[in-house]
PDB file of all heavy atoms in Angstrom:
ATOM      1  N   TYR A 937     -96.938 -13.686   9.683  1.00  0.00           N
ATOM      2  CA  TYR A 937     -97.601 -12.454  10.265  1.00  0.00           C
ATOM      3  C   TYR A 937     -98.236 -11.617   9.103  1.00  0.00           C
ATOM      4  O   TYR A 937     -97.875 -11.781   7.931  1.00  0.00           O
ATOM      5  CB  TYR A 937     -96.551 -11.602  11.008  1.00  0.00           C
ATOM      6  CG  TYR A 937     -95.427 -11.199  10.166  1.00  0.00           C
ATOM      7  CD1 TYR A 937     -95.458 -10.026   9.415  1.00  0.00           C
ATOM      8  CD2 TYR A 937     -94.190 -11.871  10.203  1.00  0.00           C
ATOM      9  CE1 TYR A 937     -94.380  -9.613   8.612  1.00  0.00           C
ATOM     10  CE2 TYR A 937     -93.177 -11.488   9.443  1.00  0.00           C
ATOM     11  CZ  TYR A 937     -93.219 -10.304   8.601  1.00  0.00           C
ATOM     12  OH  TYR A 937     -92.175 -10.025   7.883  1.00  0.00           O
ATOM     13  N   ARG A 941     -94.094 -10.473   3.229  1.00  0.00           N
ATOM     14  CA  ARG A 941     -93.778 -10.742   1.819  1.00  0.00           C
ATOM     15  C   ARG A 941     -92.362 -10.505   1.455  1.00  0.00           C
ATOM     16  O   ARG A 941     -91.626  -9.913   2.308  1.00  0.00           O
ATOM     17  CB  ARG A 941     -94.694  -9.878   0.833  1.00  0.00           C
ATOM     18  CG  ARG A 941     -94.463  -8.379   0.943  1.00  0.00           C
ATOM     19  CD  ARG A 941     -95.341  -7.613  -0.098  1.00  0.00           C
ATOM     20  NE  ARG A 941     -96.800  -7.838   0.002  1.00  0.00           N
ATOM     21  CZ  ARG A 941     -97.602  -8.484  -0.841  1.00  0.00           C
ATOM     22  NH1 ARG A 941     -97.021  -9.110  -1.896  1.00  0.00           N
ATOM     23  NH2 ARG A 941     -98.887  -8.624  -0.646  1.00  0.00           N
ATOM     24  N   VAL A 942     -91.896 -10.959   0.358  1.00  0.00           N
ATOM     25  CA  VAL A 942     -90.528 -10.835  -0.054  1.00  0.00           C
ATOM     26  C   VAL A 942     -90.220  -9.323  -0.170  1.00  0.00           C
ATOM     27  O   VAL A 942     -90.886  -8.666  -0.954  1.00  0.00           O
ATOM     28  CB  VAL A 942     -90.194 -11.515  -1.430  1.00  0.00           C
ATOM     29  CG1 VAL A 942     -88.833 -11.170  -1.887  1.00  0.00           C
ATOM     30  CG2 VAL A 942     -90.473 -12.988  -1.370  1.00  0.00           C
ATOM     31  N   ASP A 943     -89.350  -8.877   0.634  1.00  0.00           N
ATOM     32  CA  ASP A 943     -89.107  -7.396   0.510  1.00  0.00           C
ATOM     33  C   ASP A 943     -87.682  -7.240  -0.089  1.00  0.00           C
ATOM     34  O   ASP A 943     -86.850  -6.508   0.500  1.00  0.00           O
ATOM     35  CB  ASP A 943     -89.161  -6.724   1.903  1.00  0.00           C
ATOM     36  CG  ASP A 943     -88.169  -7.278   2.952  1.00  0.00           C
ATOM     37  OD1 ASP A 943     -87.476  -8.247   2.632  1.00  0.00           O
ATOM     38  OD2 ASP A 943     -88.094  -6.660   4.041  1.00  0.00           O
ATOM     39  N   LEU A1031     -82.239 -16.623   9.895  1.00  0.00           N
ATOM     40  CA  LEU A1031     -83.130 -15.801  10.745  1.00  0.00           C
ATOM     41  C   LEU A1031     -84.236 -16.702  11.280  1.00  0.00           C
ATOM     42  O   LEU A1031     -85.367 -16.662  10.773  1.00  0.00           O
ATOM     43  CB  LEU A1031     -83.776 -14.616   9.872  1.00  0.00           C
ATOM     44  CG  LEU A1031     -82.646 -13.599   9.470  1.00  0.00           C
ATOM     45  CD1 LEU A1031     -83.144 -12.808   8.241  1.00  0.00           C
ATOM     46  CD2 LEU A1031     -82.341 -12.650  10.658  1.00  0.00           C
ATOM     47  N   ASN A1035     -85.983 -13.784  18.732  1.00  0.00           N
ATOM     48  CA  ASN A1035     -85.410 -13.030  19.906  1.00  0.00           C
ATOM     49  C   ASN A1035     -86.577 -12.554  20.716  1.00  0.00           C
ATOM     50  O   ASN A1035     -87.367 -11.669  20.378  1.00  0.00           O
ATOM     51  CB  ASN A1035     -84.626 -11.817  19.356  1.00  0.00           C
ATOM     52  CG  ASN A1035     -84.302 -10.810  20.492  1.00  0.00           C
ATOM     53  OD1 ASN A1035     -84.065 -11.207  21.657  1.00  0.00           O
ATOM     54  ND2 ASN A1035     -84.332  -9.557  20.169  1.00  0.00           N
ATOM     55  N   PRO A1037     -87.535 -10.533  23.858  1.00  0.00           N
ATOM     56  CA  PRO A1037     -86.801  -9.643  24.787  1.00  0.00           C
ATOM     57  C   PRO A1037     -87.135  -9.955  26.256  1.00  0.00           C
ATOM     58  O   PRO A1037     -88.254 -10.382  26.604  1.00  0.00           O
ATOM     59  CB  PRO A1037     -87.348  -8.290  24.370  1.00  0.00           C
ATOM     60  CG  PRO A1037     -88.556  -8.531  23.619  1.00  0.00           C
ATOM     61  CD  PRO A1037     -88.610  -9.848  23.110  1.00  0.00           C
ATOM     62  N   ILE A1070     -94.068  -4.351  19.604  1.00  0.00           N
ATOM     63  CA  ILE A1070     -92.680  -3.907  19.970  1.00  0.00           C
ATOM     64  C   ILE A1070     -91.710  -4.246  18.826  1.00  0.00           C
ATOM     65  O   ILE A1070     -91.679  -5.418  18.430  1.00  0.00           O
ATOM     66  CB  ILE A1070     -92.165  -4.524  21.241  1.00  0.00           C
ATOM     67  CG1 ILE A1070     -93.137  -4.234  22.486  1.00  0.00           C
ATOM     68  CG2 ILE A1070     -90.702  -4.165  21.577  1.00  0.00           C
ATOM     69  CD1 ILE A1070     -92.684  -4.860  23.816  1.00  0.00           C
ATOM     70  N   GLY A1071     -91.036  -3.265  18.282  1.00  0.00           N
ATOM     71  CA  GLY A1071     -90.123  -3.541  17.155  1.00  0.00           C
ATOM     72  C   GLY A1071     -90.514  -2.951  15.872  1.00  0.00           C
ATOM     73  O   GLY A1071     -91.740  -3.079  15.465  1.00  0.00           O
ATOM     74  N   THR A1072     -89.617  -2.269  15.256  1.00  0.00           N
ATOM     75  CA  THR A1072     -89.893  -1.575  14.031  1.00  0.00           C
ATOM     76  C   THR A1072     -88.766  -1.889  12.990  1.00  0.00           C
ATOM     77  O   THR A1072     -88.230  -1.014  12.383  1.00  0.00           O
ATOM     78  CB  THR A1072     -90.095  -0.115  14.166  1.00  0.00           C
ATOM     79  OG1 THR A1072     -88.856   0.442  14.903  1.00  0.00           O
ATOM     80  CG2 THR A1072     -91.285   0.278  14.914  1.00  0.00           C
ATOM     81  N   GLY A1073     -88.441  -3.219  12.905  1.00  0.00           N
ATOM     82  CA  GLY A1073     -87.563  -3.631  11.812  1.00  0.00           C
ATOM     83  C   GLY A1073     -88.449  -4.042  10.611  1.00  0.00           C
ATOM     84  O   GLY A1073     -89.679  -3.660  10.488  1.00  0.00           O
ATOM     85  N   SER A1074     -87.886  -4.889   9.699  1.00  0.00           N
ATOM     86  CA  SER A1074     -88.644  -5.319   8.501  1.00  0.00           C
ATOM     87  C   SER A1074     -89.985  -5.924   8.795  1.00  0.00           C
ATOM     88  O   SER A1074     -91.017  -5.581   8.222  1.00  0.00           O
ATOM     89  CB  SER A1074     -87.873  -6.301   7.687  1.00  0.00           C
ATOM     90  OG  SER A1074     -86.591  -5.803   7.399  1.00  0.00           O
ATOM     91  N   SER A1075     -89.984  -6.795   9.863  1.00  0.00           N
ATOM     92  CA  SER A1075     -91.233  -7.517  10.163  1.00  0.00           C
ATOM     93  C   SER A1075     -92.256  -6.572  10.716  1.00  0.00           C
ATOM     94  O   SER A1075     -93.416  -6.520  10.356  1.00  0.00           O
ATOM     95  CB  SER A1075     -90.991  -8.626  11.202  1.00  0.00           C
ATOM     96  OG  SER A1075     -89.935  -9.468  10.759  1.00  0.00           O
ATOM     97  N   GLN A1078     -93.642  -4.224   8.106  1.00  0.00           N
ATOM     98  CA  GLN A1078     -94.693  -4.928   7.216  1.00  0.00           C
ATOM     99  C   GLN A1078     -96.000  -5.061   7.959  1.00  0.00           C
ATOM    100  O   GLN A1078     -97.079  -4.976   7.396  1.00  0.00           O
ATOM    101  CB  GLN A1078     -94.075  -6.246   6.776  1.00  0.00           C
ATOM    102  CG  GLN A1078     -93.096  -6.083   5.618  1.00  0.00           C
ATOM    103  CD  GLN A1078     -92.640  -7.460   5.098  1.00  0.00           C
ATOM    104  OE1 GLN A1078     -92.690  -8.478   5.829  1.00  0.00           O
ATOM    105  NE2 GLN A1078     -92.170  -7.497   3.823  1.00  0.00           N
ATOM    106  N   ARG A1095     -87.946   1.409  19.484  1.00  0.00           N
ATOM    107  CA  ARG A1095     -86.599   1.717  20.174  1.00  0.00           C
ATOM    108  C   ARG A1095     -85.690   2.494  19.189  1.00  0.00           C
ATOM    109  O   ARG A1095     -85.102   3.530  19.557  1.00  0.00           O
ATOM    110  CB  ARG A1095     -85.872   0.388  20.585  1.00  0.00           C
ATOM    111  CG  ARG A1095     -84.673   0.630  21.314  1.00  0.00           C
ATOM    112  CD  ARG A1095     -84.096  -0.626  22.019  1.00  0.00           C
ATOM    113  NE  ARG A1095     -83.653  -1.599  21.119  1.00  0.00           N
ATOM    114  CZ  ARG A1095     -83.303  -2.785  21.508  1.00  0.00           C
ATOM    115  NH1 ARG A1095     -83.289  -3.120  22.807  1.00  0.00           N
ATOM    116  NH2 ARG A1095     -82.761  -3.699  20.717  1.00  0.00           N
ATOM    117  N   THR A1096     -85.579   2.053  17.900  1.00  0.00           N
ATOM    118  CA  THR A1096     -84.772   2.746  16.932  1.00  0.00           C
ATOM    119  C   THR A1096     -85.672   3.063  15.728  1.00  0.00           C
ATOM    120  O   THR A1096     -86.188   2.154  15.083  1.00  0.00           O
ATOM    121  CB  THR A1096     -83.597   1.826  16.458  1.00  0.00           C
ATOM    122  OG1 THR A1096     -82.870   1.394  17.587  1.00  0.00           O
ATOM    123  CG2 THR A1096     -82.698   2.573  15.611  1.00  0.00           C
ATOM    124  N   LYS A1218     -78.553  -0.930   8.508  1.00  0.00           N
ATOM    125  CA  LYS A1218     -79.474  -1.905   8.956  1.00  0.00           C
ATOM    126  C   LYS A1218     -80.135  -2.421   7.735  1.00  0.00           C
ATOM    127  O   LYS A1218     -80.103  -1.743   6.748  1.00  0.00           O
ATOM    128  CB  LYS A1218     -80.496  -1.298   9.922  1.00  0.00           C
ATOM    129  CG  LYS A1218     -80.022  -1.032  11.361  1.00  0.00           C
ATOM    130  CD  LYS A1218     -81.111  -0.299  12.074  1.00  0.00           C
ATOM    131  CE  LYS A1218     -80.841  -0.055  13.572  1.00  0.00           C
ATOM    132  NZ  LYS A1218     -81.160  -1.215  14.356  1.00  0.00           N
ATOM    133  N   ARG A1219     -80.749  -3.626   7.788  1.00  0.00           N
ATOM    134  CA  ARG A1219     -81.313  -4.141   6.599  1.00  0.00           C
ATOM    135  C   ARG A1219     -82.288  -3.100   5.989  1.00  0.00           C
ATOM    136  O   ARG A1219     -83.257  -2.716   6.698  1.00  0.00           O
ATOM    137  CB  ARG A1219     -81.996  -5.496   6.930  1.00  0.00           C
ATOM    138  CG  ARG A1219     -82.946  -6.033   5.923  1.00  0.00           C
ATOM    139  CD  ARG A1219     -82.259  -6.466   4.658  1.00  0.00           C
ATOM    140  NE  ARG A1219     -83.011  -7.594   4.023  1.00  0.00           N
ATOM    141  CZ  ARG A1219     -84.098  -7.363   3.255  1.00  0.00           C
ATOM    142  NH1 ARG A1219     -84.614  -6.122   3.185  1.00  0.00           N
ATOM    143  NH2 ARG A1219     -84.660  -8.357   2.675  1.00  0.00           N
ATOM    144  N   LEU A1240     -89.320   4.682  22.778  1.00  0.00           N
ATOM    145  CA  LEU A1240     -88.663   4.096  23.940  1.00  0.00           C
ATOM    146  C   LEU A1240     -87.421   4.716  24.329  1.00  0.00           C
ATOM    147  O   LEU A1240     -86.903   4.452  25.466  1.00  0.00           O
ATOM    148  CB  LEU A1240     -88.488   2.583  23.717  1.00  0.00           C
ATOM    149  CG  LEU A1240     -89.791   1.761  23.433  1.00  0.00           C
ATOM    150  CD1 LEU A1240     -89.406   0.266  23.162  1.00  0.00           C
ATOM    151  CD2 LEU A1240     -90.755   1.822  24.602  1.00  0.00           C
ATOM    152  N   ALA A1268     -92.242  -7.950  17.478  1.00  0.00           N
ATOM    153  CA  ALA A1268     -91.513  -7.982  16.157  1.00  0.00           C
ATOM    154  C   ALA A1268     -90.067  -7.659  16.388  1.00  0.00           C
ATOM    155  O   ALA A1268     -89.505  -6.765  15.871  1.00  0.00           O
ATOM    156  CB  ALA A1268     -92.210  -6.872  15.204  1.00  0.00           C
ATOM    157  N   THR A1269     -89.530  -8.416  17.303  1.00  0.00           N
ATOM    158  CA  THR A1269     -88.183  -8.159  17.859  1.00  0.00           C
ATOM    159  C   THR A1269     -87.016  -8.932  17.228  1.00  0.00           C
ATOM    160  O   THR A1269     -85.960  -8.893  17.761  1.00  0.00           O
ATOM    161  CB  THR A1269     -88.234  -8.351  19.366  1.00  0.00           C
ATOM    162  OG1 THR A1269     -88.942  -9.635  19.703  1.00  0.00           O
ATOM    163  CG2 THR A1269     -89.002  -7.259  20.138  1.00  0.00           C
ATOM    164  N   GLY A1270     -87.404  -9.573  16.127  1.00  0.00           N
ATOM    165  CA  GLY A1270     -86.260 -10.155  15.321  1.00  0.00           C
ATOM    166  C   GLY A1270     -85.708 -11.422  15.901  1.00  0.00           C
ATOM    167  O   GLY A1270     -86.405 -12.191  16.513  1.00  0.00           O
ATOM    168  N   PHE A1271     -84.445 -11.608  15.473  1.00  0.00           N
ATOM    169  CA  PHE A1271     -83.810 -12.962  15.702  1.00  0.00           C
ATOM    170  C   PHE A1271     -82.430 -12.828  16.341  1.00  0.00           C
ATOM    171  O   PHE A1271     -81.761 -11.797  16.150  1.00  0.00           O
ATOM    172  CB  PHE A1271     -83.758 -13.657  14.335  1.00  0.00           C
ATOM    173  CG  PHE A1271     -85.051 -13.772  13.637  1.00  0.00           C
ATOM    174  CD1 PHE A1271     -85.461 -12.754  12.813  1.00  0.00           C
ATOM    175  CD2 PHE A1271     -85.870 -14.878  13.849  1.00  0.00           C
ATOM    176  CE1 PHE A1271     -86.736 -12.770  12.191  1.00  0.00           C
ATOM    177  CE2 PHE A1271     -87.125 -14.984  13.204  1.00  0.00           C
ATOM    178  CZ  PHE A1271     -87.487 -13.869  12.324  1.00  0.00           C
ATOM    179  N   TRP A1383     -78.514  -6.333  13.568  1.00  0.00           N
ATOM    180  CA  TRP A1383     -78.330  -7.790  13.843  1.00  0.00           C
ATOM    181  C   TRP A1383     -77.183  -8.314  12.985  1.00  0.00           C
ATOM    182  O   TRP A1383     -76.737  -9.437  13.242  1.00  0.00           O
ATOM    183  CB  TRP A1383     -79.651  -8.615  13.600  1.00  0.00           C
ATOM    184  CG  TRP A1383     -80.337  -8.434  12.260  1.00  0.00           C
ATOM    185  CD1 TRP A1383     -81.417  -7.646  12.055  1.00  0.00           C
ATOM    186  CD2 TRP A1383     -80.079  -9.103  11.032  1.00  0.00           C
ATOM    187  NE1 TRP A1383     -81.839  -7.747  10.767  1.00  0.00           N
ATOM    188  CE2 TRP A1383     -80.991  -8.654  10.115  1.00  0.00           C
ATOM    189  CE3 TRP A1383     -79.099  -9.970  10.594  1.00  0.00           C
ATOM    190  CZ2 TRP A1383     -81.040  -9.109   8.770  1.00  0.00           C
ATOM    191  CZ3 TRP A1383     -79.135 -10.418   9.326  1.00  0.00           C
ATOM    192  CH2 TRP A1383     -80.030  -9.974   8.455  1.00  0.00           C
TER     193      TRP A1383
HETATM  194  O1  N01 B2930     -86.038  -7.931  13.165  1.00  0.00           O
HETATM  195  P1  N01 B2930     -85.079  -6.707  13.356  1.00  0.00           P
HETATM  196  P2  N01 B2930     -87.172  -8.243  11.969  1.00  0.00           P
HETATM  197  N1  N01 B2930     -87.074  -3.558  23.192  1.00  0.00           N
HETATM  198  O2  N01 B2930     -84.001  -7.257  14.198  1.00  0.00           O
HETATM  199  C1  N01 B2930     -86.521  -4.005  18.162  1.00  0.00           C
HETATM  200  C2  N01 B2930     -85.668 -10.425   7.429  1.00  0.00           C
HETATM  201  N2  N01 B2930     -87.044 -10.208   7.015  1.00  0.00           N
HETATM  202  O3  N01 B2930     -87.864  -9.528  12.312  1.00  0.00           O
HETATM  203  O4  N01 B2930     -83.299  -1.550  16.125  1.00  0.00           O
HETATM  204  C3  N01 B2930     -87.541  -2.842  22.197  1.00  0.00           C
HETATM  205  O5  N01 B2930     -84.772  -6.134  12.093  1.00  0.00           O
HETATM  206  C4  N01 B2930     -85.343  -3.589  17.405  1.00  0.00           C
HETATM  207  O6  N01 B2930     -84.899  -2.341  17.867  1.00  0.00           O
HETATM  208  P3  N01 B2930     -83.321  -1.879  17.528  1.00  0.00           P
HETATM  209  C5  N01 B2930     -84.871  -9.209   7.013  1.00  0.00           C
HETATM  210  O7  N01 B2930     -83.594  -9.597   6.599  1.00  0.00           O
HETATM  211  C6  N01 B2930     -87.349 -10.488   5.732  1.00  0.00           C
HETATM  212  O8  N01 B2930     -88.026  -7.061  11.773  1.00  0.00           O
HETATM  213  O9  N01 B2930     -82.563  -3.159  17.797  1.00  0.00           O
HETATM  214  N3  N01 B2930     -87.334  -3.036  20.921  1.00  0.00           N
HETATM  215  C7  N01 B2930     -86.025  -3.479  16.015  1.00  0.00           C
HETATM  216  O10 N01 B2930     -86.812  -2.348  15.832  1.00  0.00           O
HETATM  217  C8  N01 B2930     -84.845  -8.490   8.323  1.00  0.00           C
HETATM  218  O11 N01 B2930     -83.803  -7.526   8.538  1.00  0.00           O
HETATM  219  C9  N01 B2930     -88.611 -10.292   5.297  1.00  0.00           C
HETATM  220  O12 N01 B2930     -83.066  -0.862  18.444  1.00  0.00           O
HETATM  221  C10 N01 B2930     -86.587  -4.167  20.601  1.00  0.00           C
HETATM  222  C11 N01 B2930     -86.915  -4.699  16.030  1.00  0.00           C
HETATM  223  O13 N01 B2930     -87.213  -4.950  17.389  1.00  0.00           O
HETATM  224  C12 N01 B2930     -84.778  -9.620   9.318  1.00  0.00           C
HETATM  225  O14 N01 B2930     -85.615 -10.548   8.778  1.00  0.00           O
HETATM  226  C13 N01 B2930     -89.520  -9.771   6.120  1.00  0.00           C
HETATM  227  C14 N01 B2930     -86.119  -5.004  21.594  1.00  0.00           C
HETATM  228  C15 N01 B2930     -86.351  -6.004  15.400  1.00  0.00           C
HETATM  229  O15 N01 B2930     -86.006  -5.733  14.115  1.00  0.00           O
HETATM  230  C16 N01 B2930     -85.235  -9.310  10.743  1.00  0.00           C
HETATM  231  O16 N01 B2930     -86.300  -8.427  10.726  1.00  0.00           O
HETATM  232  C17 N01 B2930     -89.285  -9.563   7.428  1.00  0.00           C
HETATM  233  C18 N01 B2930     -86.356  -4.645  22.938  1.00  0.00           C
HETATM  234  N4  N01 B2930     -85.829  -5.382  23.928  1.00  0.00           N
HETATM  235  C19 N01 B2930     -87.939  -9.775   7.893  1.00  0.00           C
HETATM  236  N5  N01 B2930     -85.399  -5.989  20.987  1.00  0.00           N
HETATM  237  C20 N01 B2930     -88.898 -10.575   3.898  1.00  0.00           C
HETATM  238  O17 N01 B2930     -90.000 -10.201   3.448  1.00  0.00           O
HETATM  239  C21 N01 B2930     -85.473  -5.738  19.673  1.00  0.00           C
HETATM  240  N6  N01 B2930     -86.229  -4.629  19.462  1.00  0.00           N
HETATM  241  C22 N01 B2930     -87.961 -11.368   3.023  1.00  0.00           C
END
Side-chain angles (χ1 to χ4, degrees):
Y937 57 85
R941 64 174 63 249
V942 175
D943 60 354
L1031 295 159
N1035 167 37
I1070 300 180
T1072 53
S1074 305
S1075 307
Q1078 284 184 334
R1095 186 163 70 182
T1096 307
K1218 280 175 174 277
R1219 166 67 156 75
L1240 297 180
T1269 44
F1271 303 89
W1383 55 259

